[in-house]
Amino acid sequence: MLTRRMISNFDWALFLSILIVSGLSVVFIYSASFTSHMIGDFWQRQLFWIVVGLIVMMTVIYVDYHIFAEYSYLLYFVSLAGLVYVLLFGRVINNTQGWLVFGSVHIQPAEFAKVISLFALARFFSNNDREILDWRALTIGAGLMVLPIALVVLQHDIGTALTFVPVFAGLSFCGGVQKKVMIASLVIVLIAAPVLWINLKDYHRERIRSMLDPDYDVKGIGYQTAQSKIAIGSGRVLGKGLKQGSQSQLGFLPGRHTDFIFSVMAENIGFVGANGILILYLIICFRLIHIARDAKERLGSLIAIGVLSIWLFHVIINVGMALGLVPVIGIPLPFFSYGGSSIISNFMALGLVLNVGMRRYVNQ
Amino acid sequence: MRLTSDKIRGLGGNSSANKILVSRLKWIEWLIIVTFILFSTRLWQLQIIEGGRNTKLADQNGIRNITLMAPRGVIVDRKGRPLVINQPSYNAYLMRDRIKNRTETLQYLSQGLRLPEEDVLLRLEKFRSAPSFQPIVIKEALSINDIAFIESHQVEHPEVRITHEPRRFYPYGSLAAHLIGYVGEISESQLRGGDLPDPKPGDIVGKAGLEKQYNTLLMGKDGKKRVVVNSLGREISELSRQDPIIGTQLTLTLDLDLQLAAERLLEDKTGTVVALNPQNGEVLAMASHPAFDPNSFASHISVRDWQELLSNADHPLQNRALQSMFSPGSVFKVIMAFAGLEENVLTPQTSVICSGGAYIYGNLFHCHKVHGFVNLNRAIAASCNVFFYNLGKNLGIERIARHAMQLGLGRKTNIDLPDEKSGLFPTPEWKERIQGEKWFAGETISVAIGQGSVTVTPIQLAKAISAIASGKISQPHVLLHPAVPTNPTDTPQKKSPADLFTVLHADTNKETQYPMDGSQTVLLSDRNRQIVVRGMWSVVNEGGTGGAARITGLDVCGKTGTAQLISLKGKSKLTEGEKSRFEHNAWFVGFAPRDNPELMIVVMVEHGGAGGRASAPIAGALFREYFVPKPSDSLPLQQTTIDVP
């Protein structure tokens, strides 16, 4: 039930920023794909997913998040079951066995598992009596995240699996992990990194190397990054205008409506436009921090922090990748890249955060 | 609404917990600020500082994927002489993504390269669904003038580029055009059809004949290269390259000398010649006239030429050897005689008196002349209808049909060429099913002399008479066996001639499969076969109807056929002009030598008149060509050096 007070606490700045970003995504997906008949109608589908996302968001807002909290562990296990299901019966798309196919609709359960896992972890960390997370809480919390990560890794979707990590990092950091634990973890990561490097697949290693050395193998693995940088750079101050991006339209830019949509945008509307988009993301991040700070209780704060962690991570990796600062990992830019599952799960997360923000003063 | 559980701790009452969380959020705020400053700086660097350089890179960009067309496999005759090769050709490509002004480009192409605007528009329409960065062929086999024109206008019209590619070349022009077929640009339906592995718009594929039948084998594998091109579309450097792999070479059973002779003999006629080895079914020559020049199809034929070929009343695209169905006429008497002997309805001594016709079932059936007293041998030699009317009456349609079908009439021979017709052998059961009418006894009498509803293709007749000549039923085929070479480009979907062929047995009415290599085969009764062959020998050598095929020193056997297209009564009503269109079809079917025959020849001249006059001399000339050695063989080759890439 929504009261007038709740509605007056609706975070319009956050909502409108996201609505603008989503609207622009349709424009740039159209701009990136109108020449190609293969992906010609992607902008229409994106629009459809945004509408579906808004409905999901409103549904989530309507129900008090404490009710979700009651069922968070149940939801968590349902999402794990979903991941196991796709592992056994899922369809392989782009080398990833993470897809459920209903007619022409492809659903990636991992995207939803991410939001649900976040919720379960926030709930678990908010249970803790103390403000400081001890080893035990941290270990169980880590366990909560390791299960879905492992299942997603088994689908060969390393990119998506990686996006679970910042949820744990963000929640445990703000949840009150002790400094000494942080230092210890850092040491462990430093020791584990070389081991991980050795065990990485060759093409993952190549990607990291091509990022560190920009001239390394321009025609091969560095091709995407090189083309993306040319696309962004050739946009200059004001951009070439919509549909005018020669880089994107010539097909030099791979994944131009999904992972490299930022490059298309920067080529089309230049430095001024790209910074405008960055500012919108900046507003979104700061609104999330605001909600986290003003939440009614620890649970609400942690939910907002979890969502912030996910989005921030996606923005850093995706934009960093387009700018040639981060290795090429196929993860979408929230509300901007084409993709139904990502759009809907992000609107679901937005619903949760708005939910927290609206109920901050409500007496129960 | 009460929901708070004890487990969920509020922040409000616990300010110390709030403190840590809030202080840690400060850290995250800093992380966000630093990240966004870093991003903005990087954008500044790429777009403002390096903007000019990146713009230039984008303009030159640059990197294009170019398909390197794989040459199709070469086709050679049984002695390795090339019949189809590839020739380097300069083609003009249009790069649609570089068109600045459509009208200007169309004007440029129509004036400079003499391409009609509507042709160019049609091609653009055809490639509408292909990505715009994919270049499309706009004109093939450019002349020196065309090349000079394009080169000198590169600056104003960078959208047109010259590429050098292999092009299908048929050095003998229309020779064996129907058998070899032709190639052309892949059609819309083939693109969607899924018969071809990995089809792309613009691919050159086989459209008819062997080019179609063995397309997958012949196609090879296209290569590709990635090059950096400048804003004029010129290649600056090559980044990577994967060379194309040539298609598989096909060795045919065809004998070029015999084929050339057959083509020459048919030159001014409408008809077909099929020559094969009766022992194993290897096709040595197959000519069909009128013909066409497959070179004119090699990529895209102009709309006008195509319409002309399609609308020509003589159907030059039709392979008459296997796509035209004719009444076999008197040639069928050979099969009748064999069936009669097999069924013990007939002995060599069986005789009738021919008085120029006979009343059977109350109707008068004509003979072409009064033969008087005729036995079996004489009946074959002189082609007496009355003898075979009686035989037909005694055998009955069922038994005739069984033997005709065992020899392969009324069904496809399954030769390894596309679009074969099956012909028709009528039975009462067939008539009941298709026409819903009862079989008239009189129809059997017409069938007995190869008229009525019986239709055959020349290749079928060649197969059937080969069986009588050699004693074994074999499968006609064009690809030399075992000729499909093991080649790394072979794909599993390759179409090789079936290793087995089917024979319908006359006695059991069941189908059985036999290997094509002849290791196991249906043998015909030698005694009865020899009697029929003796009759066919008389046709040519003892004053029979086929004397024109006679060659001294060679035992040629044969049978003429003069198939009516219209009844004698009907013919008398026609005007002179119409008469030529309804003139009889002339058959000659023959083989040599009499024992262990090596060459089987079927000649059909449409509206040629009497088989003995129109077709037998052609067969005779071919037997001479094949068996009589010539001092010097000179080939009328169009070019002397042949590049085999």
Side-chain angles (χ1 to χ4, degrees):
Chain A
M1 197 63 90
L2 294 180
T3 64
R4 186 167 298 165
R5 185 153 186 209
M6 284 183 203
I7 292 163
S8 71
N9 282 326
F10 186 83
D11 196 328
W12 286 103
L14 173 62
F15 177 71
L16 286 178
S17 302
I18 283 175
L19 209 57
I20 293 169
V21 170
S22 307
L24 289 174
S25 89
V26 177
V27 173
F28 289 107
I29 286 166
Y30 170 71
S31 170
S33 58
F34 82 102
T35 43
S36 166
H37 287 255
M38 324 250 251
I39 52 175
D41 64 340
F42 275 27
W43 67 272
Q44 292 163 340
R45 297 201 223 170
Q46 178 82 343
L47 195 59
F48 170 76
W49 291 124
I50 290 169
V51 173
V52 175
L54 285 168
I55 294 166
V56 170
M57 180 198 84
M58 290 198 276
T59 317
V60 172
I61 288 173
Y62 196 76
V63 182
D64 190 318
Y65 66 95
H66 296 97
I67 295 178
F68 290 126
E70 289 284 312
Y71 296 106
S72 60
Y73 295 142
L74 179 68
L75 284 170
Y76 174 77
F77 286 110
V78 169
S79 77
L80 284 189
L83 290 176
V84 171
Y85 181 84
V86 285
L87 203 53
L88 297 177
F89 308 109
R91 181 83 68 87
V92 179
I93 297 177
N94 300 332
N95 293 324
T96 299
Q97 180 155 24
W99 298 84
L100 288 181
V101 176
F102 303 101
S104 67
V105 179
H106 297 176
I107 292 176
Q108 211 179 356
E111 287 292 336
F112 299 97
K114 199 158 50 185
V115 179
I116 291 167
S117 303
L118 168 174
F119 203 85
L121 190 64
R123 158 92 191 268
F124 177 73
F125 280 171
S126 65
N127 282 348
N128 209 5
D129 280 343
R130 286 158 300 172
E131 56 176 298
I132 290 168
L133 293 173
D134 59 10
W135 276 109
R136 192 177 148 274
L138 216 52
T139 314
I140 296 172
L144 275 176
M145 296 314 272
V146 163
L147 278 176
I149 289 177
L151 288 169
V152 177
V153 167
L154 285 176
Q155 300 168 3
H156 303 291
D157 193 352
I158 310 289
T160 306
L162 266 181
T163 61
F164 284 78
V165 176
V167 176
F168 179 73
L171 286 184
S172 49
F173 178 71
C174 294
V177 70
Q178 288 162 290
K179 281 203 180 87
K180 60 182 180 194
V181 177
M182 279 195 275
I183 291 163
S185 309
L186 206 65
V187 172
I188 290 169
V189 168
L190 285 178
I191 294 167
V195 181
L196 198 68
W197 174 259
I198 290 162
N199 285 309
L200 274 180
K201 290 257 167 55
D202 272 347
Y203 61 88
H204 287 131
R205 239 178 293 175
E206 293 283 291
R207 283 190 177 173
I208 295 173
R209 266 183 68 184
S210 74
M211 189 261 313
L212 297 175
D213 175 6
D215 294 327
Y216 174 76
D217 191 21
V218 176
K219 61 196 175 202
I221 199 84
Y223 176 81
Q224 292 176 313
T225 312
Q227 292 297 349
S228 165
K229 274 155 64 179
I230 293 174
I232 294 171
S234 63
R236 304 182 87 167
V237 181
L238 293 171
K240 300 175 184 170
L242 281 182
K243 306 201 287 185
Q244 300 301 314
S246 68
Q247 280 294 98
S248 353
Q249 259 80 72
L250 285 185
F252 289 133
L253 206 52
R256 54 191 186 272
H257 63 300
T258 53
D259 298 344
F260 282 98
I261 189 77
F262 185 86
S263 318
V264 173
M265 180 275 296
E267 187 184 23
N268 281 194
I269 57 176
F271 180 76
V272 173
N275 273 291
I277 298 286
L278 286 182
I279 287 168
L280 284 171
Y281 278 108
L282 203 60
I283 294 171
I284 293 166
C285 288
F286 275 93
R287 290 316 297 172
L288 288 178
I289 287 182
H290 176 80
I291 289 172
R293 202 176 273 145
D294 284 6
K296 183 171 156 54
E297 77 293 81
R298 204 171 143 83
L299 172 68
S301 296
L302 289 176
I303 289 171
I305 289 163
V307 172
L308 172 65
S309 308
I310 292 181
W311 290 353
L312 188 59
F313 182 77
H314 277 78
V315 171
I316 290 174
I317 297 293
N318 185 289
V319 176
M321 169 182 85
L323 292 169
L325 299 169
V326 166
V328 175
I329 299 169
I331 64 172
L333 189 56
F335 301 102
F336 211 64
S337 291
Y338 171 78
S341 297
S342 144
I343 288 285
I344 292 176
S345 77
N346 280 329
F347 270 107
M348 203 164 106
L350 174 63
L352 277 176
V353 174
L354 289 171
N355 196 329
V356 171
M358 288 162 77
R359 292 184 170 80
R360 59 192 147 154
Y361 300 124
V362 177
N363 291 316
Q364 289 162 35
Chain B
M1 202 169 177
R2 284 199 57 86
L3 274 165
T4 11
S5 81
D6 294 339
K7 292 179 216 144
I8 301 168
R9 303 280 149 182
L11 279 180
N14 192 343
S15 60
S16 66
N18 203 5
K19 230 186 281 169
I20 287 189
L21 197 145
V22 168
S23 77
R24 295 243 162 124
L25 275 176
K26 273 265 179 286
W27 282 91
I28 294 187
E29 269 178 320
W30 279 114
L31 171 69
I32 294 167
I33 289 165
V34 169
T35 305
F36 281 83
I37 288 173
L38 181 67
F39 283 173
S40 194
T41 316
R42 177 70 165 178
L43 282 170
W44 177 271
Q45 183 202 351
L46 289 176
Q47 298 188 297
I48 311 296
I49 298 173
E50 295 173 4
R53 192 175 76 96
N54 278 325
T55 305
K56 219 161 110 192
L57 280 174
D59 287 347
Q60 286 178 355
N61 205 344
I63 303 171
R64 278 183 184 275
N65 289 315
I66 294 175
T67 304
L68 301 170
M69 200 194 276
R72 287 174 74 83
V74 167
I75 302 180
V76 300
D77 88 333
R78 61 187 303 121
K79 292 175 184 155
R81 291 170 289 190
L83 300 173
V84 184
I85 56 173
N86 301 295
Q87 249 192 352
S89 154
Y90 287 93
N91 303 333
Y93 272 90
L94 179 65
M95 288 177 289
R96 290 162 298 162
D97 54 355
R98 289 192 172 266
I99 297 178
K100 290 189 192 91
N101 182 324
R102 212 174 139 100
T103 331
E104 262 179 39
T105 299
L106 283 173
Q107 219 168 16
Y108 169 71
L109 290 171
S110 67
Q111 285 167 10
L113 298 178
R114 296 173 307 284
L115 290 169
E117 273 194 26
E118 58 271 23
D119 279 15
V120 178
L121 286 172
L122 265 174
R123 289 201 56 74
L124 285 174
E125 178 59 29
K126 185 175 176 192
F127 281 83
R128 210 172 50 86
S129 63
S132 65
F133 53 83
Q134 187 200 321
I136 58 177
V137 185
I138 206 84
K139 187 171 184 183
E140 285 210 311
L142 297 175
S143 66
I144 295 288
N145 287 339
D146 291 337
I147 295 171
F149 180 81
I150 296 172
E151 285 290 323
S152 60
H153 291 82
Q154 274 292 280
V155 179
E156 306 98 280
H157 289 283
E159 70 270 23
V160 180
R161 199 186 60 192
I162 298 173
T163 314
H164 154 212
E165 277 168 340
R167 183 170 191 265
R168 209 59 165 157
F169 182 61
Y170 305 86
Y172 297 95
S174 64
L175 178 116
H178 300 93
L179 177 126
I180 291 170
Y182 53 90
V183 295
E185 206 165 84
I186 190 165
S187 67
E188 282 286 320
S189 56
Q190 282 172 311
L191 263 179
R192 284 191 305 262
D195 298 337
L196 301 164
D198 185 28
K200 298 182 292 295
D203 273 355
I204 299 295
V205 297
K207 294 280 189 179
L210 286 168
E211 295 272 28
K212 180 180 179 189
Q213 180 84 13
Y214 292 110
N215 184 58
T216 321
L217 270 178
L218 286 167
M219 258 178 70
K221 196 172 183 309
D222 283 351
K224 56 173 176 249
K225 62 176 177 176
R226 201 140 81 180
V227 295
V228 180
V229 293
N230 66 8
S231 55
L232 291 182
R234 278 182 206 279
E235 289 178 23
I236 298 168
S237 65
E238 191 172 299
L239 297 174
S240 67
R241 184 189 186 90
Q242 194 186 336
D243 283 320
I245 302 166
I246 186 171
T248 310
Q249 172 173 323
L250 298 186
T251 304
L252 305 188
T253 57
L254 224 58
D255 181 326
L256 178 57
D257 300 322
L258 198 61
Q259 180 73 31
L260 281 166
E263 302 273 353
R264 205 172 50 232
L265 290 161
L266 273 182
E267 216 158 36
D268 51 350
K269 301 181 175 67
T270 300
T272 179
V273 167
V274 176
L276 48 80
N277 181 341
Q279 304 291 345
N280 55 19
E282 288 176 1
V283 174
L284 298 167
M286 182 184 279
S288 174
H289 270 247
F292 57 89
D293 183 357
N295 286 311
S296 61
F297 291 87
S299 62
H300 43 280
I301 187 168
S302 80
V303 178
R304 204 184 313 117
D305 291 353
W306 178 245
Q307 288 303 339
E308 207 176 288
L309 277 170
L310 280 185
S311 57
N312 191 320
D314 285 333
H315 305 293
L317 290 177
Q318 187 157 322
N319 186 354
R320 293 176 146 74
L322 43 111
Q323 291 164 354
S324 293
M325 301 186 286
F326 308 98
S327 294
S330 300
V331 175
F332 188 65
K333 290 169 184 167
V334 173
I335 293 162
M336 284 295 294
F338 183 69
L341 291 163
E342 289 278 291
E343 296 289 341
N344 294 319
V345 169
L346 194 64
T347 69
Q349 286 73 43
T350 310
S351 305
V352 300
I353 292 171
C354 167
S355 54
Y359 277 95
I360 301 168
Y361 304 127
N363 285 318
L364 176 62
F365 288 88
H366 290 280
C367 193
H368 52 91
K369 69 189 216 194
V370 180
H371 290 102
F373 182 84
V374 284
N375 64 6
L376 173 59
N377 200 66
R378 188 72 207 136
I380 296 174
S383 200
C384 174
N385 286 353
V386 172
F387 184 94
F388 287 97
Y389 291 148
N390 279 310
L391 177 55
K393 186 180 160 199
N394 294 340
L395 266 175
I397 188 66
E398 305 284 357
R399 286 195 282 186
I400 296 173
R402 275 215 315 271
H403 285 277
M405 285 174 177
Q406 164 159 9
L407 294 172
L409 298 193
R411 53 159 61 199
K412 293 179 184 179
T413 63
N414 287 328
I415 188 173
D416 47 340
L417 285 171
D419 309 318
E420 186 187 358
K421 291 275 194 307
S422 63
L424 173 73
F425 204 91
T427 58
E429 183 270 327
W430 163 82
K431 195 178 177 195
E432 182 81 50
R433 181 161 45 85
I434 301 298
Q435 300 183 348
E437 285 174 26
K438 283 256 178 291
W439 181 265
F440 298 111
E443 290 178 73
T444 309
I445 309 305
S446 293
V447 168
I449 59 157
Q451 296 285 161
S453 330
V454 191
T455 57
V456 298
T457 61
I459 189 75
Q460 272 175 1
L461 218 46
K463 178 186 174 181
I465 308 298
S466 282
I468 287 176
S470 68
K472 47 188 185 243
I473 299 174
S474 52
Q475 158 91 59
H477 57 275
V478 188
L479 198 61
L480 200 62
H481 265 264
V484 184
T486 45
N487 183 308
T489 60
D490 282 7
T491 45
Q493 314 95 306
K494 73 181 176 194
K495 283 184 186 164
S496 65
D499 295 323
L500 293 171
F501 70 100
T502 314
V503 173
L504 181 77
H505 286 271
D507 41 358
T508 56
N509 210 15
K510 283 204 176 98
E511 289 188 348
T512 318
Q513 293 200 310
Y514 291 90
M516 277 183 59
D517 57 12
S519 60
Q520 208 189 326
T521 181
V522 199
L523 292 172
L524 302 183
S525 140
D526 216 39
R527 197 183 65 90
N528 292 337
R529 191 176 69 71
Q530 290 293 357
I531 294 167
V532 178
V533 169
R534 174 70 178 71
M536 292 178 77
W537 185 81
S538 298
V539 169
V540 179
N541 299 290
E542 288 186 334
T545 52
R550 184 170 173 180
I551 294 165
T552 22
L554 187 68
D555 274 335
V556 177
C557 305
K559 181 76 194 79
T560 57
T562 306
Q564 285 177 20
L565 298 179
I566 191 167
S567 70
L568 289 173
K569 225 185 284 172
K571 197 172 177 180
S572 62
K573 291 182 198 150
L574 295 175
T575 65
E576 277 308 307
E578 283 171 324
K579 263 183 189 163
S580 71
R581 275 201 294 129
F582 290 98
E583 190 58 74
H584 302 322
N585 283 337
W587 283 103
F588 183 83
V589 177
F591 59 90
R594 182 170 154 183
D595 300 316
N596 296 317
E598 291 168 37
L599 182 61
M600 171 82 213
I601 287 178
V602 172
V603 181
M604 144 61 73
V605 178
E606 287 182 37
H607 319 303
R613 272 200 308 278
S615 295
I618 295 178
L622 288 171
F623 283 124
R624 200 166 292 119
E625 167 72 32
Y626 190 81
F627 289 105
V628 183
K630 267 180 289 170
S632 68
D633 278 11
S634 60
L635 302 178
L637 248 171
Q638 280 179 12
Q639 63 163 38
T640 42
T641 53
I642 292 169
D643 294 325
V644 181

